[in-house]
């Protein structure tokens, strides 16, 4: 019973943390699609202290990955780099919590009492 509750808690925490990262990613998408003044280079592709870097200035497009969560800036020369829009702790923590939830669930199944009549 305790292992099942731990599995549920870890799964819920992984889901909540994934949503937190997804919120950051959606914010970056909204910024990237917002045209007008100060829209080039793409705002999510700018990094602190490097917003006028050659690589940042050559950004032509972007793509989004949902597993792991990341905003990828694509450059004119065919290269790409991952922007720091999603906090760095989100993907490893989601993976760790998901594995912990799976491990607890498997352990709960292994140590579970087999169904059947009880004596006494």
């Amino acid at each position: 019973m305790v292992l099942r509750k731990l599995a549920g808690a870890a799964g819920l925490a992984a889901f909540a943390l994934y949503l937190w990262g997804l919120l950051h990613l959606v914010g970056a998408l909204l910024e990237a699609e917002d045209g007008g003044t100060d829209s080039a280079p793409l705002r999510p592709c700018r990094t602190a202290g490097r917003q006028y870097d050659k690589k940042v200035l050559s950004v032509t497009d972007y793509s989004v990955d949902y597993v792991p969560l990341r905003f990828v800036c694509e450059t004119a020369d065919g290269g790409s780099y991952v922007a720091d829009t999603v906090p760095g702790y989100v993907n490893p923590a989601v993976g760790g919590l998901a594995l912990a939830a799976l491990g607890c669930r498997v352990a709960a199944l292994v140590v579970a009492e087999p169904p059947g009549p009880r004596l006494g």
Side-chain angles (χ1 to χ4, degrees):
M1 184 70 159
V2 172
L3 286 172
R4 284 192 347 219
K5 287 183 181 181
L6 280 174
L12 185 62
F15 180 71
L17 200 54
Y18 184 84
L19 286 179
W20 176 247
L22 195 59
L23 183 66
H24 282 83
L25 194 59
V26 167
L29 285 172
L30 290 174
E31 269 191 315
E33 291 297 323
D34 183 30
T37 306
D38 196 36
S39 63
L42 294 172
R43 277 180 255 154
C45 295
R46 301 176 196 169
T47 56
R50 291 185 51 203
Q51 62 183 354
Y52 298 109
D53 187 290
K54 182 179 176 183
K55 192 176 209 177
V56 173
L57 291 174
S58 69
V59 170
T60 58
D61 204 6
Y62 67 90
S63 62
V64 174
D65 293 335
Y66 293 98
V67 177
L69 285 171
R70 60 186 183 170
F71 188 94
V72 181
C73 301
E74 299 168 0
T75 59
D77 62 358
S80 64
Y81 65 94
V82 177
D84 56 353
T85 55
V86 177
Y89 61 86
V90 170
N91 289 316
V94 167
L97 286 167
L99 284 175
L102 181 64
C104 286
R105 184 65 183 141
V106 168
L109 290 174
V110 168
V111 299
E113 215 176 287
R118 292 187 182 201
L119 301 175

